[in-house]
Amino acid sequence: MLRSATAVPVEWKFASTGGADGEIEGYGAVFNNVDGGGDLILPGAFKQCLKQRKTRGGSFPILVQHGFAEGFDPVGRWTDVAEDSKGLHVRGRLSGMDTERGKFNLARVKDGTFGGLSIGYGVLPGHV
């Protein structure tokens, strides 16, 4: 079962080009924070998933509204996903920065239309 966490406030960081190349980063989840859905994510929660994904050589897509708003049509790819002491830190790149859609997505990040990050996740048996 896929569960959706409420978006967390995020500080967007851009590359030295001001994000012109579409690079963004922030936190997809913050540890020890009860979200709007009543979920609490603890340090280590992503360890197994990240290990499996790395072993398979896969990456995570960047979706808008968990893929519900624009369909499961990724707008980019997370190039680095890792736990740190604060939470699940993500860094990625929006796709198509030479297209109107790519430029529009970056503009939505910059002007606050995309005001935060959120993750979709499944809870392993025995971890509820």
Side-chain angles (χ1 to χ4, degrees), residues 12-25 91-93 106 110:
W12 293 101
K13 297 180 181 179
F14 296 99
S16 59
T17 59
D21 60 0
E23 287 189 12
I24 59 173
E25 67 179 283
R91 179 181 296 120
R93 183 180 304 264
L106 180 60
K110 286 184 171 184

Side-chain angles (χ1 to χ4, degrees), residues 66-78:
H66 298 271
F68 297 115
E70 297 183 10
F72 271 31
D73 184 17
V75 298
R77 180 175 69 88
W78 296 117

Side-chain angles (χ1 to χ4, degrees), residues 12 14 17-20 24 104-114:
W12 293 101
F14 296 99
T17 59
I24 59 173
F104 179 63
N105 285 328
L106 180 60
R108 294 195 289 180
V109 170
K110 286 184 171 184
D111 71 14
T113 301
F114 294 157

